[in-house]
Amino acid sequence: MENDTAPDVRAGAANGEPALICAEQLAAQSAGLPEAARAQLVEVLAWLRTSIATSNPLIGRKGHVCPFVGPGLTRFRSIRFHVYQGELRPAAVGSVLRALAARFPALPPTSEVGREFRAIVTVFPELPNDAGPVLIDPVQQALKPEITAQGLMIGQFYPGCREPGLHNPDYRPLEAPHPMLVIRPMQLTDLMFLFSRPEYLKAYVRRFGIASRDELTARIAAADIPQLPARWEAVVDAAFPQASVG
């Protein structure tokens, strides 16, 4: 398969945008980075291949931990790394992640096939592994409303992340070898992550062209959600109000 990602990476660096590294060209494109950053990239890539693009009985369901990572790394070559090298403050990190989100729609593959397998994985080589709760969590929480409004998702990963799995509360799906933030497209299966606020559910409705409350309710019924939040109906009411009766 012809690699259509390398020109995109070079253009980003030349234009002063955050430089992106293609996973399949990691060694060559990270050559100018400090040794610690290169070592962390290698470790994170190995983690994606061996822990995320594989099955795990602890997740409590069939299939890979994330079914999009494997094809993104192999068939579509659409997963990119960004090494954060700025100030370790939420505002500074948020500014860079916003720039990455704005750039996301133009990233290859440009054809419809494969676009759902894109992701930008931002790593923080200078951030201590125990600093996830004081930097990664606040940035993810602050950016989630605007990121979801763009039809994207932003996920937080770091050592010791206590976020429980949906199918097994004792499984920790967001625990990773190093702190990172990941931007990716919103997927149909993300419905279960978007019940906490009406604006998140509204973003889901827009992203997938859900035309009525009944259609949304049917999708909720069909989704493989072990347990809905206690107030999920109130969030649906706010996100997709019932038509008033005249």
Side-chain angles (χ1 to χ4, degrees):
M1 180 186 295
E2 182 180 355
N3 182 1
D4 61 353
T5 58
D8 154 75
V9 174
R10 289 194 296 268
N15 294 333
E17 297 175 335
L20 299 179
I21 296 170
C22 302
E24 78 280 1
Q25 295 185 5
L26 188 147
Q29 295 184 348
S30 66
L33 292 172
E35 175 61 30
R38 286 186 282 128
Q40 189 169 121
L41 287 171
V42 169
E43 187 176 353
V44 169
L45 179 56
W47 170 75
L48 289 173
R49 287 172 171 161
T50 61
S51 297
I52 305 302
T54 60
S55 59
N56 186 330
L58 293 177
I59 62 178
R61 60 164 173 77
K62 295 180 180 179
H64 293 172
V65 174
C66 178
F68 295 92
V69 169
L73 288 173
T74 56
R75 179 182 176 188
F76 298 107
R77 302 194 293 182
S78 53
I79 292 180
R80 298 159 178 86
F81 291 107
H82 165 244
V83 178
Y84 182 83
Q85 297 176 295
E87 295 180 83
L88 293 173
R89 297 182 297 105
V93 174
S95 178
V96 172
L97 268 290
R98 285 187 182 93
L100 291 172
R103 188 175 170 188
F104 199 93
L107 295 178
T110 55
S111 61
E112 193 61 32
V113 176
R115 290 180 65 77
E116 67 269 31
F117 297 98
R118 295 172 297 162
I120 298 176
V121 180
T122 296
V123 298
F124 300 81
E126 297 181 3
L127 183 67
N129 273 354
D130 62 356
V134 299
L135 183 69
I136 301 299
D137 279 341
V139 172
Q140 189 268 345
Q141 292 161 13
L143 293 185
K144 185 173 179 178
E146 58 193 273
I147 296 291
T148 54
Q150 298 172 57
L152 302 171
M153 298 290 285
I154 181 168
Q156 76 280 25
F157 297 82
Y158 54 84
C161 184
R162 302 300 296 168
E163 191 74 20
L166 288 167
H167 300 268
N168 177 5
D170 294 325
Y171 177 59
R172 300 291 180 259
L174 304 184
E175 189 160 20
H178 298 286
M180 62 188 81
L181 287 161
V182 178
I183 296 174
R184 61 169 178 81
M186 186 183 292
Q187 309 289 356
L188 281 167
T189 50
D190 286 325
L191 176 60
M192 59 193 73
F193 303 119
L194 300 171
F195 281 109
S196 59
R197 291 167 61 168
E199 57 264 41
Y200 299 160
L201 208 53
K202 287 180 181 178
Y204 184 90
V205 166
R206 289 194 304 271
R207 170 78 170 84
F208 298 107
I210 297 174
S212 68
R213 179 189 171 88
D214 287 346
E215 183 180 348
L216 176 60
T217 303
R219 184 159 294 180
I220 292 170
D224 184 18
I225 305 176
Q227 183 174 356
L228 285 161
R231 296 185 65 255
W232 71 271
E233 290 180 313
V235 176
V236 174
D237 288 341
F240 216 119
Q242 297 187 37
S244 59
V245 178

